[in-house]
Protein backbone atom coordinates (compact mmCIF):
# COMPACT_ATOMS: atom_id res chain seq x y z
CA UNK A 1 0.00 0.00 0.00
CA UNK A 2 1.01 3.61 -0.58
CA UNK A 3 -0.51 6.63 1.09
CA UNK A 4 -1.51 10.16 0.18
CA UNK A 5 -3.43 13.01 1.79
CA UNK A 6 -7.13 13.16 1.01
CA UNK A 7 -10.11 15.15 2.19
CA UNK A 8 -12.04 12.45 4.01
CA UNK A 9 -15.38 12.22 5.76
CA UNK A 10 -14.44 10.03 8.71
CA UNK A 11 -17.89 9.69 10.30
CA UNK A 12 -21.46 10.46 9.16
CA UNK A 13 -22.51 14.04 9.85
CA UNK A 14 -18.96 15.35 9.90
CA UNK A 15 -17.07 17.54 7.47
CA UNK A 16 -14.24 16.69 5.11
CA UNK A 17 -10.86 16.79 6.84
CA UNK A 18 -7.31 16.24 5.58
CA UNK A 19 -6.42 12.64 6.39
CA UNK A 20 -3.89 10.06 5.34
CA UNK A 21 -5.56 7.63 2.92
CA UNK A 22 -4.34 4.48 1.21
CA UNK A 23 -3.78 3.86 -2.47
CA UNK A 24 -3.04 0.46 -3.94
CA UNK A 25 0.43 -0.41 -5.11
CA UNK A 26 0.62 -0.11 -8.88
CA UNK A 27 -0.58 -3.10 -10.88
CA UNK A 28 1.03 -3.66 -14.29
CA UNK A 29 -1.56 -1.51 -16.14
CA UNK A 30 -1.89 1.22 -13.49
CA UNK A 31 -0.85 4.85 -13.44
CA UNK A 32 -0.16 6.89 -10.34
CA UNK A 33 -1.49 10.39 -10.96
CA UNK A 34 -0.53 13.46 -8.93
CA UNK A 35 -3.94 15.14 -8.81
CA UNK A 36 -3.77 18.86 -9.58
CA UNK A 37 -7.44 19.84 -10.02
CA UNK A 38 -10.64 18.08 -9.01
CA UNK A 39 -14.11 19.40 -9.82
CA UNK A 40 -16.72 19.61 -7.09
CA UNK A 41 -19.77 17.72 -8.36
CA UNK A 42 -23.20 17.86 -6.74
CA UNK A 43 -22.88 14.09 -6.33
CA UNK A 44 -20.00 14.75 -3.91
CA UNK A 45 -22.22 16.97 -1.78
CA UNK A 46 -24.96 14.34 -1.70
CA UNK A 47 -22.48 11.55 -0.95
CA UNK A 48 -21.14 13.44 2.07
CA UNK A 49 -24.63 14.41 3.27
CA UNK A 50 -26.00 10.89 2.81
CA UNK A 51 -23.02 8.93 4.09
CA UNK A 52 -24.13 6.15 6.41
CA UNK A 53 -20.63 4.99 7.15
CA UNK A 54 -17.17 6.49 6.92
CA UNK A 55 -14.64 6.94 5.61
CA UNK A 56 -15.42 8.58 2.30
CA UNK A 57 -13.19 10.62 -0.02
CA UNK A 58 -15.20 12.28 -2.84
CA UNK A 59 -14.00 13.52 -6.20
CA UNK A 60 -14.60 12.01 -9.64
CA UNK A 61 -13.69 14.61 -12.26
CA UNK A 62 -10.01 15.41 -12.14
CA UNK A 63 -6.85 16.30 -13.97
CA UNK A 64 -3.35 15.44 -12.89
CA UNK A 65 0.15 14.51 -13.94
CA UNK A 66 1.40 10.93 -14.28
CA UNK A 67 4.02 10.35 -11.60
CA UNK A 68 4.61 6.62 -11.96
CA UNK A 69 3.60 3.90 -14.42
CA UNK A 70 3.04 0.16 -14.08
CA UNK A 71 5.28 -2.31 -15.88
CA UNK A 72 2.85 -2.90 -18.76
CA UNK A 73 1.61 0.64 -19.33
CA UNK A 74 1.94 1.55 -23.00
CA UNK A 75 -0.10 4.71 -23.59
CA UNK A 76 1.28 7.08 -20.96
CA UNK A 77 4.62 8.17 -19.58
CA UNK A 78 5.70 10.00 -16.46
CA UNK A 79 4.94 13.71 -16.84
CA UNK A 80 1.87 13.30 -19.08
CA UNK A 81 -1.20 15.31 -18.13
CA UNK A 82 -4.26 13.08 -17.87
CA UNK A 83 -7.94 13.47 -17.04
CA UNK A 84 -10.14 10.92 -15.27
CA UNK A 85 -13.90 10.81 -14.82
CA UNK A 86 -16.36 8.94 -12.66
CA UNK A 87 -15.71 5.42 -14.02
CA UNK A 88 -12.36 3.73 -13.42
CA UNK A 89 -13.09 0.14 -14.49
CA UNK A 90 -15.77 -2.13 -15.94
CA UNK A 91 -16.14 -5.81 -16.83
CA UNK A 92 -14.93 -5.20 -20.37
CA UNK A 93 -16.87 -8.14 -21.81
CA UNK A 94 -20.62 -7.43 -21.56
CA UNK A 95 -22.57 -6.00 -24.50
CA UNK A 96 -22.48 -2.46 -23.11
CA UNK A 97 -18.74 -2.55 -22.49
CA UNK A 98 -18.11 -3.97 -25.96
CA UNK A 99 -20.21 -1.10 -27.37
CA UNK A 100 -18.16 1.45 -25.47
CA UNK A 101 -20.99 2.24 -23.07
CA UNK A 102 -19.07 1.28 -19.95
CA UNK A 103 -21.41 3.47 -17.88
CA UNK A 104 -24.06 0.78 -18.46
CA UNK A 105 -21.79 -2.20 -17.69
CA UNK A 106 -24.00 -5.20 -16.88
CA UNK A 107 -21.78 -5.94 -13.90
CA UNK A 108 -21.82 -2.28 -12.88
CA UNK A 109 -18.88 0.00 -13.62
CA UNK A 110 -16.36 0.65 -10.87
CA UNK A 111 -16.98 4.18 -9.68
CA UNK A 112 -14.06 6.49 -8.94
CA UNK A 113 -15.11 6.69 -5.31
CA UNK A 114 -17.45 4.53 -3.30
CA UNK A 115 -16.94 1.83 -5.93
CA UNK A 116 -15.74 -1.72 -5.47
CA UNK A 117 -12.34 -2.51 -6.89
CA UNK A 118 -12.66 -5.48 -9.27
CA UNK A 119 -9.36 -7.07 -8.22
CA UNK A 120 -9.13 -6.81 -4.44
CA UNK A 121 -12.71 -5.88 -3.50
CA UNK A 122 -11.68 -2.71 -1.66
CA UNK A 123 -13.78 0.46 -1.73
CA UNK A 124 -12.42 3.17 -4.01
CA UNK A 125 -11.52 6.60 -2.62
CA UNK A 126 -11.91 9.68 -4.81
CA UNK A 127 -9.67 12.45 -6.05
CA UNK A 128 -10.02 15.10 -3.37
CA UNK A 129 -6.52 13.87 -2.74
CA UNK A 130 -2.88 14.32 -3.65
CA UNK A 131 -2.68 11.11 -5.66
CA UNK A 132 -4.97 8.67 -7.47
CA UNK A 133 -4.10 5.25 -8.88
CA UNK A 134 -6.04 4.29 -12.02
CA UNK A 135 -5.94 1.71 -14.81
CA UNK A 136 -4.47 3.37 -17.89
CA UNK A 137 -7.52 2.35 -19.92
CA UNK A 138 -9.67 4.73 -17.90
CA UNK A 139 -7.32 7.71 -18.08
CA UNK A 140 -7.43 10.17 -20.98
CA UNK A 141 -4.64 12.31 -22.35
CA UNK A 142 -5.63 15.93 -21.88
CA UNK A 143 -5.49 17.70 -25.26
CA UNK A 144 -2.61 20.17 -25.52
CA UNK A 145 -3.44 23.73 -24.62
CA UNK A 146 -6.48 22.98 -22.47
CA UNK A 147 -6.68 24.78 -19.15
CA UNK A 148 -6.46 21.90 -16.67
CA UNK A 149 -8.68 23.50 -14.00
CA UNK A 150 -11.43 24.24 -16.54
CA UNK A 151 -11.04 20.76 -18.05
CA UNK A 152 -11.57 18.82 -14.81
CA UNK A 153 -15.38 19.37 -14.74
CA UNK A 154 -15.62 18.12 -18.32
CA UNK A 155 -14.92 14.62 -17.01
CA UNK A 156 -18.28 14.27 -15.20
CA UNK A 157 -20.49 17.29 -15.94
CA UNK A 158 -19.14 17.65 -19.47
CA UNK A 159 -19.55 14.09 -20.69
CA UNK A 160 -22.93 13.82 -18.95
CA UNK A 161 -24.35 16.56 -21.19
CA UNK A 162 -22.25 15.76 -24.30
CA UNK A 163 -23.43 12.13 -24.42
CA UNK A 164 -27.16 12.86 -24.94
CA UNK A 165 -26.49 15.80 -27.30
CA UNK A 166 -24.51 13.43 -29.53
CA UNK A 167 -26.82 10.44 -29.09
CA UNK A 168 -29.81 12.53 -30.20
CA UNK A 169 -27.84 13.93 -33.11
CA UNK A 170 -28.04 17.60 -32.19
CA UNK A 171 -26.70 19.72 -35.02
CA UNK A 172 -27.01 22.94 -36.96
CA UNK A 173 -30.43 24.55 -36.78
CA UNK A 174 -31.77 22.32 -34.01
CA UNK A 175 -33.44 23.97 -31.08
CA UNK A 176 -32.16 22.79 -27.72
CA UNK A 177 -33.55 23.71 -24.32
CA UNK A 178 -31.47 23.39 -21.16
CA UNK A 179 -33.27 23.23 -17.83
CA UNK A 180 -31.17 24.61 -14.98
CA UNK A 181 -27.99 26.62 -15.20
CA UNK A 182 -25.28 25.11 -13.04
CA UNK A 183 -22.23 22.93 -13.65
CA UNK A 184 -24.06 20.68 -16.14
CA UNK A 185 -26.31 23.37 -17.60
CA UNK A 186 -23.62 25.86 -18.56
CA UNK A 187 -21.60 23.12 -20.27
CA UNK A 188 -24.73 21.89 -22.09
CA UNK A 189 -25.18 25.42 -23.44
CA UNK A 190 -21.57 25.59 -24.63
CA UNK A 191 -21.55 22.17 -26.29
CA UNK A 192 -24.97 22.58 -27.96
CA UNK A 193 -24.04 26.00 -29.32
CA UNK A 194 -20.75 24.63 -30.67
CA UNK A 195 -22.76 21.89 -32.43
CA UNK A 196 -24.70 24.64 -34.21
CA UNK A 197 -27.92 24.52 -32.21
CA UNK A 198 -30.05 27.46 -31.10
CA UNK A 199 -30.04 27.14 -27.33
CA UNK A 200 -32.52 28.40 -24.78
CA UNK A 201 -32.24 28.10 -21.01
CA UNK A 202 -35.06 27.44 -18.57
CA UNK A 203 -34.42 28.82 -15.11
CA UNK A 204 -36.56 29.24 -12.01
CA UNK A 205 -34.42 32.17 -10.99
CA UNK A 206 -34.86 35.66 -12.38
CA UNK A 207 -31.39 36.33 -10.95
CA UNK A 208 -29.80 33.95 -13.47
CA UNK A 209 -31.34 35.52 -16.57
CA UNK A 210 -28.41 37.86 -17.24
CA UNK A 211 -25.86 35.11 -16.53
CA UNK A 212 -27.60 32.89 -19.05
CA UNK A 213 -27.60 35.62 -21.68
CA UNK A 214 -23.87 36.06 -21.19
CA UNK A 215 -23.40 32.44 -22.34
CA UNK A 216 -24.87 33.40 -25.71
CA UNK A 217 -28.27 31.72 -25.52
CA UNK A 218 -31.15 32.65 -27.81
CA UNK A 219 -33.68 32.92 -25.08
CA UNK A 220 -34.04 32.63 -21.32
CA UNK A 221 -37.37 31.29 -20.11
CA UNK A 222 -38.30 31.79 -16.48
CA UNK A 223 -40.08 28.52 -15.84
CA UNK A 224 -42.35 29.93 -13.12
CA UNK A 225 -43.82 32.35 -15.69
CA UNK A 226 -46.81 30.51 -17.19
CA UNK A 227 -47.08 32.90 -20.14
CA UNK A 228 -43.40 32.47 -20.98
CA UNK A 229 -43.77 28.67 -20.84
CA UNK A 230 -46.86 28.77 -23.06
CA UNK A 231 -44.91 30.83 -25.58
CA UNK A 232 -42.33 28.06 -26.09
CA UNK A 233 -44.79 25.14 -26.36
CA UNK A 234 -43.88 22.80 -29.25
CA UNK A 235 -40.56 24.53 -29.86
CA UNK A 236 -37.62 22.27 -29.00
CA UNK A 237 -36.07 19.24 -30.68
CA UNK A 238 -34.22 18.22 -27.51
CA UNK A 239 -34.48 19.40 -23.92
CA UNK A 240 -31.80 18.44 -21.40
CA UNK A 241 -33.10 18.70 -17.84
CA UNK A 242 -30.22 19.25 -15.41
CA UNK A 243 -32.30 20.33 -12.42
CA UNK A 244 -31.54 18.23 -9.37
CA UNK A 245 -34.61 18.96 -7.22
CA UNK A 246 -37.81 16.99 -7.76
CA UNK A 247 -40.11 18.77 -10.23
CA UNK A 248 -42.94 18.19 -12.69
CA UNK A 249 -41.58 17.27 -16.12
CA UNK A 250 -44.85 18.09 -17.94
CA UNK A 251 -44.03 21.74 -18.81
CA UNK A 252 -40.80 20.63 -20.48
CA UNK A 253 -42.54 17.82 -22.39
CA UNK A 254 -44.98 20.44 -23.68
CA UNK A 255 -42.08 22.60 -24.83
CA UNK A 256 -40.96 19.81 -27.23
CA UNK A 257 -42.00 19.60 -30.86
CA UNK A 258 -43.68 16.37 -32.00
CA UNK A 259 -41.19 13.47 -31.72
CA UNK A 260 -38.93 15.62 -29.56
CA UNK A 261 -36.90 14.21 -26.68
CA UNK A 262 -36.69 15.22 -23.04
CA UNK A 263 -33.60 13.75 -21.38
CA UNK A 264 -33.42 13.98 -17.60
CA UNK A 265 -29.93 14.16 -16.09
CA UNK A 266 -30.80 14.74 -12.43
CA UNK A 267 -31.89 11.79 -10.31
CA UNK A 268 -35.14 12.52 -8.47
CA UNK A 269 -36.85 9.84 -6.36
CA UNK A 270 -39.59 9.53 -8.98
CA UNK A 271 -40.41 11.10 -12.31
CA UNK A 272 -43.56 13.15 -12.28
CA UNK A 273 -45.31 13.93 -15.56
CA UNK A 274 -48.78 14.26 -17.04
CA UNK A 275 -49.16 11.29 -19.43
CA UNK A 276 -50.97 13.52 -21.92
CA UNK A 277 -47.94 15.79 -22.16
CA UNK A 278 -45.93 12.75 -23.27
CA UNK A 279 -48.56 11.24 -25.55
CA UNK A 280 -49.43 14.40 -27.44
CA UNK A 281 -46.88 14.37 -30.24
CA UNK A 282 -45.26 10.99 -29.55
CA UNK A 283 -42.66 12.63 -27.35
CA UNK A 284 -39.82 10.75 -25.76
CA UNK A 285 -38.79 10.85 -22.12
CA UNK A 286 -35.42 9.38 -21.32
CA UNK A 287 -32.60 9.72 -18.81
CA UNK A 288 -28.86 9.60 -18.98
CA UNK A 289 -25.77 9.82 -16.84
CA UNK A 290 -22.08 9.92 -17.59
CA UNK A 291 -20.67 8.42 -20.78
CA UNK A 292 -18.45 5.62 -21.99
CA UNK A 293 -14.82 5.75 -23.02
CA UNK A 294 -15.20 6.50 -26.76
CA UNK A 295 -17.64 9.34 -26.00
CA UNK A 296 -15.39 10.74 -23.30
CA UNK A 297 -12.46 10.82 -25.72
CA UNK A 298 -14.67 12.44 -28.37
CA UNK A 299 -15.92 15.00 -25.85
CA UNK A 300 -12.39 16.05 -24.86
CA UNK A 301 -11.33 16.41 -28.48
CA UNK A 302 -14.49 18.36 -29.33
CA UNK A 303 -13.97 20.63 -26.33
CA UNK A 304 -10.36 21.29 -27.36
CA UNK A 305 -11.34 22.00 -30.98
CA UNK A 306 -14.05 24.45 -29.92
CA UNK A 307 -12.26 26.06 -26.99
CA UNK A 308 -14.77 24.74 -24.47
CA UNK A 309 -14.00 24.40 -20.79
CA UNK A 310 -15.98 24.91 -17.61
CA UNK A 311 -16.25 28.33 -15.99
CA UNK A 312 -14.74 27.57 -12.62
CA UNK A 313 -14.14 29.08 -9.22
CA UNK A 314 -11.03 27.60 -7.64
CA UNK A 315 -11.16 26.66 -3.95
CA UNK A 316 -8.47 25.43 -1.60
CA UNK A 317 -8.84 22.28 0.53
CA UNK A 318 -9.48 24.52 3.55
CA UNK A 319 -12.46 26.09 1.73
CA UNK A 320 -14.23 22.85 0.80
CA UNK A 321 -16.93 23.01 3.50
CA UNK A 322 -17.80 26.58 2.51
CA UNK A 323 -17.86 25.52 -1.14
CA UNK A 324 -20.31 22.71 -0.31
CA UNK A 325 -22.57 25.15 1.54
CA UNK A 326 -22.51 27.54 -1.42
CA UNK A 327 -23.11 24.69 -3.91
CA UNK A 328 -26.13 23.57 -1.88
CA UNK A 329 -27.74 26.96 -2.42
CA UNK A 330 -26.67 27.31 -6.04
CA UNK A 331 -24.16 30.06 -5.31
CA UNK A 332 -21.44 29.21 -7.86
CA UNK A 333 -20.66 30.39 -11.40
CA UNK A 334 -20.61 27.53 -12.53
CA UNK A 335 -18.36 24.90 -11.01
CA UNK A 336 -16.06 24.79 -8.02
CA UNK A 337 -12.71 23.18 -8.68
CA UNK A 338 -10.51 22.06 -5.84
CA UNK A 339 -6.83 23.00 -6.10
CA UNK A 340 -5.32 19.76 -4.82
CA UNK A 341 -1.66 20.69 -5.31
CA UNK A 342 -1.21 21.36 -1.59
CA UNK A 343 -2.56 17.86 -0.80
CA UNK A 344 0.06 16.33 -3.08
CA UNK A 345 2.76 18.15 -1.11
CA UNK A 346 1.36 17.30 2.32
ZN1 LIG B 1 -20.22 14.03 -10.97
ZN1 LIG C 1 -19.42 -4.63 -18.71
Amino acid sequence: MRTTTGLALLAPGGTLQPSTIERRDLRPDDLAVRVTWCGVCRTDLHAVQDASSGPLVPGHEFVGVVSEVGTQVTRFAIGDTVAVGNIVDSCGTCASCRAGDEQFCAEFPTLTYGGRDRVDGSTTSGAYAGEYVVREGFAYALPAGMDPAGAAPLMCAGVTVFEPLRRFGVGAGDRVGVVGLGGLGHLAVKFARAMGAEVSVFTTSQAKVEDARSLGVEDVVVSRDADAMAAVAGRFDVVLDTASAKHDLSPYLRSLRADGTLCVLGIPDRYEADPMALMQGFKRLTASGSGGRPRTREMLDFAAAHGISADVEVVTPAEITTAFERLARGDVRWRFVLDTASLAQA
Side-chain angles (χ1 to χ4, degrees), residues 43 60 86-97 101-119 124 135 138 267 289-290:
T43 305
H60 65 195
N86 70 334
I87 297 171
V88 289
D89 205 358
S90 71
C91 84
T93 57
C94 74
S96 291
C97 285
D101 285 327
E102 290 86 359
Q103 75 274 32
F104 304 137
C105 176
E107 296 181 25
F108 206 73
T110 305
L111 301 178
T112 304
Y113 68 87
R116 189 168 170 279
D117 183 84
R118 300 184 112 78
V119 176
T124 56
R135 287 186 71 192
F138 287 81
I267 308 178
S290 191

Side-chain angles (χ1 to χ4, degrees), residues 41 43 60-61 156 335:
C41 179
T43 305
H60 65 195
E61 47 177 42
C156 175
R335 196 71 150 182

Side-chain angles (χ1 to χ4, degrees), residues 129-148:
E131 179 182 78
Y132 196 91
V133 174
V134 61
R135 287 186 71 192
E136 70 165 332
F138 287 81
Y140 305 82
L142 193 71
M146 274 188 115
D147 166 49

